[in-house]
Amino acid sequence: MARAPTQERSQKRVEDILSATRDLLESARIEGISFYDIAKKAGMSPASIHYFFPSMAALRLELMNRYNRDLVTQMKLLSDELARSWVQSWQEWFRLLADGARINYNNDKAQSELTLGPVLNRQGRVSNIDTNDVIAKSIIDTLNYSFVMPDIPNI
């Protein structure tokens, strides 16, 4: 698990580490990136990175959690936009939401590599499942607002 910095200087260092990792993921595969690569890109020592992230898995999980939070926000915004556009069918609604998610992943290689790539630990899978649950509940709420939906127990 990542160390949560409280001081502004430490928060900036964590942001620099995550930014360097994102930059590296634009041109490298996730399993090919090390603390040394990130340290070089961020302009700090590998020990500094290890201080905040005791393992590569902790660093990947933190970055994945941030991507997942961003995805939830983007899907909620898209869902709200669809509610205002009065899409005629729920099937079209889902197609447009799926297109939005696909475009999101296709336009961000780093996010795609991290969340869909081959290296995914248990905590990463749980994070993705939790994100899917939040998105699904948001979509259901919006659909219930916009369409007459059948009552489906335990949806």
Side-chain angles (χ1 to χ4, degrees), residues 1-5 9-18 20-21 34-56 58-59:
M1 176 140 283
R3 185 183 302 262
R9 179 175 168 263
S10 295
Q11 291 169 354
K12 171 143 180 23
R13 291 180 73 78
V14 166
E15 291 305 317
D16 290 346
I17 292 165
L18 294 173
T21 305
S34 68
F35 276 167
Y36 294 99
D37 300 324
I38 297 166
K40 183 176 178 183
K41 181 79 173 170
M44 61 183 73
S45 72
S48 294
I49 295 171
H50 193 269
Y51 175 78
F52 293 108
F53 301 99
S55 66
M56 283 299 291
L59 192 151

Side-chain angles (χ1 to χ4, degrees), residues 55-145:
S55 66
M56 283 299 291
L59 192 151
R60 291 174 184 151
L61 181 61
E62 178 62 26
L63 197 51
M64 182 183 302
N65 286 337
R66 288 174 182 226
Y67 279 131
N68 283 339
R69 284 191 300 269
D70 290 347
L71 181 62
V72 166
T73 299
Q74 291 170 3
M75 291 293 99
K76 284 182 178 181
L77 289 172
L78 179 55
S79 191
D80 290 345
E81 183 181 317
L82 291 172
R84 289 189 301 275
S85 71
W86 298 104
V87 173
Q88 295 299 309
S89 71
W90 64 266
Q91 293 93 338
E92 179 68 6
W93 190 294
F94 275 102
R95 188 190 64 75
L96 292 169
L97 283 173
D99 286 349
R102 178 184 46 78
I103 289 166
N104 180 62
Y105 283 111
N106 286 343
N107 288 341
D108 190 336
K109 183 185 179 304
Q111 179 181 6
S112 181
E113 179 68 20
L114 187 66
T115 58
L116 302 174
V119 178
L120 192 63
N121 62 21
R122 180 188 260 308
Q123 291 172 312
R125 286 192 304 274
V126 168
S127 176
N128 284 347
I129 289 168
D130 290 345
T131 298
N132 290 342
D133 190 48
V134 169
I135 291 171
K137 287 177 181 173
S138 173
I139 290 169
I140 289 169
D141 290 343
T142 308
L143 285 172
N144 282 325
Y145 175 80

Side-chain angles (χ1 to χ4, degrees), residues 21-39:
T21 305
R22 280 191 300 269
D23 289 349
L24 289 168
L25 285 171
E26 288 297 328
S27 60
R29 301 200 55 109
I30 187 122
E31 62 270 12
I33 296 174
S34 68
F35 276 167
Y36 294 99
D37 300 324
I38 297 166

